[in-house]
Amino acid sequence: MSYYFCIVGTKDNPIFELEFGTSKQGGDGIARFPTEARQLNPFIVHASLDIVEEVQWLNSQMYLKRVDHFASSHVSCFLTPASVKFMLLHLPHPPNTAPSTVSASQNPNIFPPFGPYTTTTPPSSLLRASTSSSSGNTAAIPNNPTSPQTEEALRLFFTEVYEAWVKAVMNPFQNINKTLGSPVFKARVVTAGRKFL
């Protein structure tokens, strides 16, 4: 999967943005968004803010789960008590395929980059890895963004990033709506992505 993580401030301004790929199941941690999708990611996340503002009053949890989807991309949200939103757009890749390398000039209907998600039986090695993993360890995350394993991995990722964000915001020189440019914070987000996603 490819991920686009964005922290949105209380004034709906982006505070932090990061693209990364999955590090599980042989992934190299590099985002594989097609060019068209990479340019649309901030707009998709920003459009999801309306849904987040509706859902936040219906749910008492900080982790709002999957709140929106666009084509084959899904958006999950974690809402802090200070109304800062952690938004994660994830683009699942169909099993045993790589992102499309066909350019828009060769195929005008390139977006969405993949067809809709279809349920297929995972290879037996993935089944063994997911059943043998403990409840706190998410060794094998399926490509299905609505599966319980993926939801739990996203919740753990958001929780760890939230702890790092609280430490970064406690800096007396950091404003809650100011861009987070700390390389330490970015390293912690990347580490959480490698650990859980």
Side-chain angles (χ1 to χ4, degrees):
M1 279 202 226
S2 295
Y3 299 96
Y4 170 74
F5 177 67
C6 182
I7 299 178
V8 180
T10 59
K11 298 177 182 176
D12 291 343
N13 57 322
I15 296 174
F16 179 81
E17 295 176 298
L18 180 68
E19 284 186 359
F20 59 95
T22 187
S23 295
K24 301 290 181 181
Q25 299 174 354
D28 56 1
I30 298 172
R32 305 270 188 235
F33 288 111
T35 306
E36 294 82 8
R38 180 169 278 129
Q39 295 169 355
L40 283 176
N41 288 345
F43 296 106
I44 296 169
V45 167
H46 193 74
S48 299
L49 290 176
D50 294 334
I51 296 171
V52 169
E53 290 174 359
E54 291 176 12
V55 174
Q56 73 182 354
W57 304 113
L58 303 174
N59 192 346
S60 62
Q61 302 293 319
M62 292 173 65
Y63 176 49
L64 301 179
K65 299 187 178 181
R66 188 176 68 96
V67 293
D68 195 13
H69 65 88
F70 177 79
S72 57
S73 300
H74 299 270
V75 180
S76 299
C77 181
F78 184 92
L79 185 66
T80 68
S83 293
V84 174
K85 299 154 196 81
F86 295 178
M87 309 288 289
L88 183 70
L89 181 137
H90 37 106
L91 177 69
H93 300 292
N96 300 325
T97 61
S100 176
T101 57
V102 179
S103 67
S105 62
Q106 295 170 338
N107 183 2
N109 300 323
I110 193 165
F111 198 81
F114 307 113
Y117 179 79
T118 56
T119 306
T120 59
T121 306
S124 60
S125 62
L126 292 180
L127 285 175
R128 275 186 261 118
S130 63
T131 57
S132 65
S133 64
S134 64
S135 61
N137 184 10
T138 55
I141 300 175
N143 281 330
N144 184 355
T146 60
S147 71
Q149 296 92 350
T150 304
E151 292 289 340
E152 181 64 16
L154 291 175
R155 186 187 65 78
L156 292 171
F157 168 77
F158 279 131
T159 304
E160 189 152 321
V161 171
Y162 174 64
E163 291 173 6
W165 177 78
V166 167
K167 291 176 184 175
V169 172
M170 286 176 54
N171 180 349
F173 300 109
Q174 178 67 40
N175 184 347
I176 197 165
N177 284 317
K178 185 179 172 186
T179 303
L180 275 169
S182 169
V184 174
F185 178 75
K186 181 178 179 180
R188 289 183 180 171
V189 172
V190 169
T191 302
R194 286 186 187 140
K195 184 176 180 182
F196 298 112
L197 305 177

